[in-house]
Amino acid sequence: MATLAELSTELRMATFRLSRRLRAEKADQALSDAQLAVLGVLYRRGARTLTELAEAERVSAPSMNRTVNCLEESGHLLRTADEVDRRKTNITLTDAGHDVVRQTLSKRDAWLTTRLRELSKEDRAVLARAAELMGGLATR
């Protein structure tokens, strides 16, 4: 039986390796992980300001501005003036931005589904329970 510290290390490393492997599955290899993360925030939460995106991704506003500029140039998002407060600029996904997020999620799900099919029903049940527990840990 592993100690709590050993379990912590093993779980962190396994989570990191799986996360890195899943991030490799993307619809547009030219997009960086940071760019896909921004597209993901907009996909899940809708229009955001530059400041809101920077806070969501825990980066500086100038860094987020560079990321948004690249995504705007590539046609994945738009900046539009806020209808209520013209001083604010809202950032939204274009159809191309929506498509690349949907395709990336589909590729990642397909990769993981293939890997899960290789496991026994018992091992899949263990992973289902682990997913519940990990979800709970992430919200604490």
Side-chain angles (χ1 to χ4, degrees):
M1 180 81 169
T3 67
L4 199 53
E6 291 168 338
L7 175 59
S8 177
T9 298
E10 290 174 22
L11 183 58
R12 178 180 48 78
M13 296 294 290
T15 302
F16 180 76
R17 283 190 306 271
L18 180 58
S19 177
R20 185 175 7 173
R21 182 58 188 87
L22 283 167
R23 282 193 314 269
E25 294 296 319
K26 52 188 172 182
D28 184 341
Q29 295 298 322
L31 293 174
S32 70
D33 290 343
Q35 290 170 331
L36 272 171
V38 169
L39 295 177
V41 169
L42 295 170
Y43 184 81
R44 288 186 310 280
R45 299 182 185 166
R48 292 287 180 255
T49 65
L50 187 72
T51 300
E52 291 168 335
L53 284 173
E55 288 171 358
E57 290 302 303
R58 295 185 173 106
V59 298
S60 69
S63 175
M64 182 55 67
N65 192 47
R66 286 188 295 275
T67 300
V68 167
N69 284 342
C70 288
L71 290 167
E72 186 177 30
E73 288 171 17
S74 66
H76 291 97
L77 54 79
L78 292 172
R79 294 181 204 233
T80 56
D82 189 272
E83 292 181 15
V84 176
D85 183 351
R86 291 291 190 186
R87 296 169 296 170
K88 272 178 45 176
T89 300
N90 293 315
I91 301 166
T92 58
L93 289 178
T94 61
D95 288 344
H98 274 281
D99 288 347
V100 77
V101 173
R102 280 192 295 265
Q103 290 170 11
T104 295
L105 293 173
S106 179
K107 283 184 69 122
R108 289 174 178 175
D109 286 346
W111 180 87
L112 191 52
T113 297
T114 299
R115 301 290 97 55
L116 290 172
R117 276 193 187 107
E118 298 167 357
L119 300 177
S120 68
K121 283 178 95 169
E122 294 79 15
D123 284 347
R124 287 195 301 266
V126 169
L127 286 177
R129 179 66 180 133
E132 291 175 27
L133 293 171
M134 291 171 73
L137 286 174
T139 61
R140 292 184 183 174

